């Protein structure tokens, strides 16, 4: 079982470049999430999608956009990368109704 | 306990001892809580959960306690093993199935 798959695992960008982080889950979950994790910190919610066709902002949405392409896939886009967006990005999915989230192994993104 | 910033609180225990990791949550209306374990270079991994209508829940070697009066969660790990070394996060569920994470506690198990 693959669970939640994120690509790429590592990426280095220059300030101002754009990039899309990909996430796919094979557990037929309705809800999907994007988080960022900065050194020594917990995870902060960027965007989430409660179900296919819906997206909503989390705690730190500025500078990001998302697309819920279908039930399996949820992508995160940085239109114009900034050094403050250097972080580890995690995608997660969950069934609805208060179930644990399942996480991918993260994308480590550095912006120079 | 929780802290904000670059330095995670660290709990060091001897192999075989019991560990207790604490977490304060913010929203008295949160109805569901989860403990996660995160190993280096990996995503968080589910350990145990508890709903707000319960005070205690037990799993294999782990117990979660919920005190709603003071908005406090704890994770107890029995007979801690070197493989338990990791960062542990609590998360609370808010509106619309959104989850909010604490900043984590690093558990260091000494052999």
């Amino acid at each position: 079982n693959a669970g939640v798959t994120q690509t790429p695992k590592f990426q280095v960008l220059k300030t101002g470049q754009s990039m899309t982080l990909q996430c796919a889950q094979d557990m037929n979950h309705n809800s999907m999430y994007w988080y960022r994790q900065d050194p020594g910190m917990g995870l902060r919610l960027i965007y989430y999608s409660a179900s296919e066709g819906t997206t909503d902002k989390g705690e730190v949405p500025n500078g990001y956009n998302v697309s819920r392409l279908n039930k399996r896939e949820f992508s995160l886009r940085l239109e114009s990368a900034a050094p403050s967006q250097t972080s580890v990005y995690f995608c997660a999915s969950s069934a609805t109704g208060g179930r644990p989230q399942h996480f991918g192994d993260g994308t480590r993104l550095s912006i120079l | 306990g929780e802290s904000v910033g670059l330095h995670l609180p660290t709990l060091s225990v001897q192999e075989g001892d019991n560990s207790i990791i604490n977490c304060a949550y913010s929203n008295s209306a949160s109805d569901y809580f989860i403990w996660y374990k995160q190993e280096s270079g990996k995503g968080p991994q589910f350990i145990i959960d508890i709903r707000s209508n319960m005070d205690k829940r037990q799993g294999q070697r782990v117990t979660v306690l919920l005190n709603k009066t003071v908005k406090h969660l704890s994770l107890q790990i029995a007979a801690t093993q070197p493989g338990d070394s990791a960062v542990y996060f609590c998360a609370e569920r808010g509106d619309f199935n959104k989850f909010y994470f604490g900043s984590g506690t690093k558990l260091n198990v000494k052999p």
Side-chain angles (χ1 to χ4, degrees), chain B residues 42-106:
Chain B
K42 297 283 190 179
Q45 178 184 10
F46 170 80
I47 302 172
I48 191 168
D49 58 1
I50 189 168
R51 302 192 186 278
S52 59
N53 61 354
M54 302 172 70
D55 297 323
K56 178 179 179 178
R57 189 159 188 234
Q58 289 185 288
Q60 187 177 9
R61 281 203 308 120
V62 294
T63 300
V64 55
L65 299 177
L66 174 62
N67 185 332
K68 294 181 286 294
T69 303
V70 295
K71 294 189 286 186
H72 183 268
L73 273 171
S74 67
L75 176 70
Q76 301 177 1
I77 305 174
T80 313
Q81 302 168 0
D84 295 326
S85 292
V87 177
Y88 290 81
F89 294 96
C90 66
E92 60 181 304
R93 185 175 75 147
D95 293 340
F96 307 109
N97 216 33
K98 290 192 283 188
F99 288 86
Y100 299 94
F101 284 73
S103 55
T105 297
K106 185 175 183 179

Side-chain angles (χ1 to χ4, degrees), chain B residues 12-32:
Chain B
S12 292
V13 300
Q14 205 70 38
E15 180 179 359
D17 288 350
N18 297 333
S19 303
I20 300 176
I21 300 171
N22 296 304
C23 174
Y25 64 92
S26 58
N27 186 354
S28 58
S30 293
D31 65 348
Y32 178 60

Side-chain angles (χ1 to χ4, degrees), chain A residues 8-51:
Chain A
K9 295 189 186 307
F10 302 92
Q11 185 70 48
V12 179
L13 294 177
K14 294 181 180 179
T15 296
Q17 287 185 314
S18 61
M19 164 159 201
T20 300
L21 279 61
Q22 307 287 352
C23 175
Q25 52 93 8
D26 62 3
M27 294 171 284
N28 201 36
H29 285 165
N30 287 316
S31 299
M32 297 186 74
Y33 308 80
W34 276 105
Y35 293 90
R36 61 177 288 173
Q37 185 176 35
D38 299 312
M41 303 280 285
L43 285 77
R44 291 185 292 169
L45 182 65
I46 305 171
Y47 270 93
Y48 74 105
S49 171
S51 61

